[in-house]
């Protein structure tokens, strides 16, 4: 969890600060442009329109670039529909007075037919044959019809058709039925979100004039773990990520499969048999066929590790990875090592979204990394232009990986009066917190 030192004081009762998902790299898809309308496929993380307080891109500003001059009385695009920043899908803007009248009838007078797709962790109190949810939202009557599209161990996809247009209506209704949106920190669990956004997608809108616009759901809406990783597999700047994340992906708890380039590392609890492991690997290989040099290592994790005794990894397939190498994560390079000598690879892949967030927001900041290990957080911050990073860990060998990762990202590390610009400190973090405080050190980010 990241928190700036100038953040507002926490309110009681305590609830974790949920970070909205970052804006998707690509622009919105263009579904339709004519003299009256601009219809977009909104990506996650984009605002519907600027709120004057956020520097994230807005769909309204993008839509404005698609028309020469809106033929509206105000001279601006008309906004009659809004999607939450996390939500994806069909988003309509008016480019003329006729378009304003059409969208006003569609959304304010409720003449549009709107269809959303939602991913939840289980059917909760929803009926298998569908039904209607009726419950006030913010004190106003609200109604949502629904059907269950698909329900598996990996999640449930629900088609929702709101009859009213209350803010957060679908999110509130599904939470009230015992199945909040996956990733919804407001109406669901703010700690175990299982997705980096609330998984809600506006799949189609039929306007009063009969025109219908539709947008395919993005990969993260898939219930299959392998399908959800499609965007990562297609990203040439990412060669390392978590393929399977235990119960969140419908597999046994604490069963993980991590990808490091061509190689896989399986963490299998000792009470999960090899048949389940082999089935998971078959699912992965069906979507990502193994290269000739591909190897698979496995750690059979003990259920009770209170007394130590965890066995090291063992090679179960392939020729083995012979040396340390650089793996890419959204364009940031990290030094990793697979083999039968070490329990760790130097990079915890469940932290990938947080490292990406830090790289995007660390420019000119100072970062104290108390979760250093191989220095991955520090390398991500430095690659993002951090003014200074300090990494503290009790293992000199893993701290040495930081220099390799900095070099792989083209980051220089000049000396300072004390230490280096991106310093690595061997020692206990609690001891060093006291020492740094005595020095008068201050940091923008503390991990």
């Amino acid at each position: 969890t990241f928190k700036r030192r100038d953040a507002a004081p926490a309110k009681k009762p305590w609830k974790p600060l949920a970070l909205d998902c970052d804006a998707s790299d690509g622009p919105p898809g263009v579904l339709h442009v004519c003299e009256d309308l601009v219809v977009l496929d909104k990506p996650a993380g984009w605002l519907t329109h600027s709120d004057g307080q956020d520097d994230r891109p807005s769909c309204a500003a993008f839509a404005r670039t698609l028309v020469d001059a809106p033929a509206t009385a105000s001279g601006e695009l008309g906004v009659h529909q809004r999607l939450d920043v996390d939500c994806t899908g069909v988003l309509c803007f008016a480019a003329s007075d006729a378009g304003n009248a059409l969208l006003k009838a569609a959304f304010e007078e409720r003449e549009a037919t709107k269809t959303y797709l939602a991913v939840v962790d289980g059917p909760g109190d929803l009926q298998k044959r569908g039904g209607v949810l009726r419950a006030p939202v913010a004190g106003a009557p609200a109604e949502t019809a629904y059907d269950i599209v698909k329900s598996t161990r990996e999640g449930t996809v629900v088609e929702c058709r709101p009859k009213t247009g209350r803010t957060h209506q679908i999110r509130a209704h599904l939470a009230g039925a015992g199945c909040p949106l996956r990733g919804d920190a407001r109406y669901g669990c703010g700690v175990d979100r299982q997705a980096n956004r609330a998984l809600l997608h506006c799949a189609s809108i039929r306007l009063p004039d009969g025109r219908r616009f539709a947008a395919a759901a993005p990969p993260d809406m898939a219930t299959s773990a392998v399908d959800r990783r499609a965007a990562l597999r297609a990203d040439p700047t990412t060669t390392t990520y978590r393929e399977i994340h235990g119960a969140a992906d419908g597999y046994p708890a604490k069963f993980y499969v991590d990808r490091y380039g061509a190689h896989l590392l399986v963490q299998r609890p000792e009470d999960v048999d090899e048949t389940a492991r082999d089935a998971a690997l078959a699912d992965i290989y069906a979507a990502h066929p193994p290269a000739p040099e591909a190897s698979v290592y496995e750690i059979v994790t003990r259920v009770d590790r209170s007394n130590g005794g965890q066995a090291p990894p063992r090679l179960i397939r392939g020729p083995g990875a012979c040396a340390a190498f650089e793996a890419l994560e959204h364009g940031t390079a990290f030094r990793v090592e697979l083999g039968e000598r070490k329990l760790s690879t130097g990079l915890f892949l469940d932290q990938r979204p947080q490292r990406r967030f830090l790289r995007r927001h660390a420019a000119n900041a100072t970062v104290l990394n108390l979760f250093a290990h191989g220095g991955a957080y520090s390398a991500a911050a430095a690659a993002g232009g951090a003014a200074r990073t300090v990494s503290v860990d009790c293992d000199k060998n893993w701290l040495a990986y930081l220099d390799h990762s900095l070099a792989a990202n083209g980051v220089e590390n000049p000396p300072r009066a004390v230490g280096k610009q991106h310093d690595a400190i061997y020692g206990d973090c609690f001891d060093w917190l006291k020492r740094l405080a005595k020095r008068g050190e201050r940091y923008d980010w503390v991990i």
Side-chain angles (χ1 to χ4, degrees), residues 14-296:
W14 179 85
K15 187 174 183 180
L17 174 65
L19 300 172
D20 288 333
C21 64
D22 278 323
S24 300
D25 294 328
V30 179
L31 301 178
H32 177 80
V33 178
C34 67
E35 61 183 7
D36 296 323
L37 297 175
V38 177
V39 185
L40 303 179
D41 180 4
K42 177 187 172 300
W46 281 60
L47 301 170
T48 295
H49 57 82
S50 175
D51 57 7
Q53 300 177 351
D54 200 307
D55 60 359
R56 280 178 295 189
S58 77
C59 289
F62 177 81
R64 181 64 181 81
T65 67
L66 302 177
V67 295
D68 293 332
T72 59
S74 66
E76 298 294 334
L77 293 176
V79 181
H80 299 267
Q81 175 201 6
R82 291 169 179 80
L83 296 179
D84 291 341
V85 64
D86 279 8
C87 187
T88 57
V90 181
L91 183 60
C92 303
F93 297 94
S96 69
D97 288 336
N100 268 326
L102 176 63
L103 295 187
K104 180 180 179 181
F107 298 106
E108 295 167 30
E109 298 173 16
R110 303 176 188 170
E111 295 181 14
T113 301
K114 299 174 288 184
T115 302
Y116 288 78
L117 294 177
V119 178
V120 300
D121 286 328
D125 296 332
L126 300 180
Q127 303 298 315
K128 292 182 179 179
R129 295 183 179 180
V132 179
L133 299 172
R134 296 183 180 91
V137 175
E143 183 177 309
T144 303
Y146 70 89
D147 286 295
I148 294 180
V149 177
K150 179 182 180 182
S151 186
T152 69
R153 66 177 187 177
E154 298 170 314
T156 298
V157 179
V158 184
E159 180 184 283
C160 300
R161 300 177 299 281
K163 305 301 182 182
T164 49
R166 312 302 179 200
T167 300
H168 296 172
Q169 175 176 316
I170 294 174
R171 295 166 66 180
H173 275 173
L174 290 176
C179 51
L181 288 174
R182 180 174 287 174
D184 192 342
R186 178 188 291 267
Y187 293 95
C189 178
V191 178
D192 188 14
R193 296 176 65 189
Q194 299 191 3
N196 70 338
R197 70 177 183 94
L199 295 181
L200 183 64
H201 175 75
C202 184
S204 69
I205 291 177
R206 184 180 295 279
L207 298 178
D209 64 0
R211 284 183 288 181
R212 179 180 179 273
F213 303 104
D220 64 354
M221 295 285 292
T223 54
S224 162
V226 173
D227 290 343
R228 280 202 298 274
R229 278 32 169 212
L232 292 171
R233 286 196 299 274
D235 181 3
T237 69
T238 297
T239 61
T240 184
Y241 54 90
R242 177 152 287 181
E243 290 272 13
I244 291 174
H245 189 67
D249 286 328
Y251 291 85
K254 299 183 180 180
F255 175 83
Y256 308 123
V257 181
D258 290 333
R259 174 172 295 281
Y260 297 89
H263 310 294
L264 298 177
L265 174 64
V266 178
Q267 297 177 62
R268 175 173 62 89
E270 60 186 352
D271 57 351
V272 175
D273 62 31
E274 295 182 359
T275 303
R277 176 203 67 198
D278 292 341
L281 292 176
D283 290 341
I284 293 171
Y285 285 152
H288 192 148
E293 71 275 16
S295 299
V296 180

Side-chain angles (χ1 to χ4, degrees), residues 281-316:
L281 292 176
D283 290 341
I284 293 171
Y285 285 152
H288 192 148
E293 71 275 16
S295 299
V296 180
Y297 289 90
E298 181 181 61
I299 300 174
V300 180
T301 56
R302 298 185 61 181
V303 174
D304 180 6
R305 288 185 281 179
S306 58
N307 295 315
Q310 175 60 57
R314 62 188 183 95
L315 181 66
I316 60 173

Side-chain angles (χ1 to χ4, degrees), residues 335-421:
R335 182 82 159 182
V336 298
E337 182 176 355
L338 277 78
E340 296 179 303
R341 297 181 302 161
K342 298 180 179 180
L343 282 172
S344 174
T345 64
L347 188 65
F348 298 111
L349 296 190
D350 58 340
Q351 300 296 305
R352 175 182 57 81
Q354 290 90 318
R355 284 189 291 269
R356 187 184 195 190
F357 174 91
L358 186 58
R359 173 164 182 167
R360 287 181 168 182
H361 297 279
N364 302 314
T366 54
V367 178
L368 175 60
N369 182 7
L370 304 175
F371 188 66
H373 195 48
Y377 272 120
S378 303
R388 186 180 178 223
T389 66
V390 175
S391 306
V392 183
D393 200 87
C394 287
D395 192 316
K396 290 182 179 179
N397 293 325
W398 282 120
L399 278 174
Y401 275 55
L402 175 58
D403 285 337
H404 295 284
S405 296
L406 293 174
N409 289 289
V411 176
E412 296 182 356
N413 194 14
R416 301 173 73 248
V418 177
K420 297 181 179 180
Q421 180 179 354

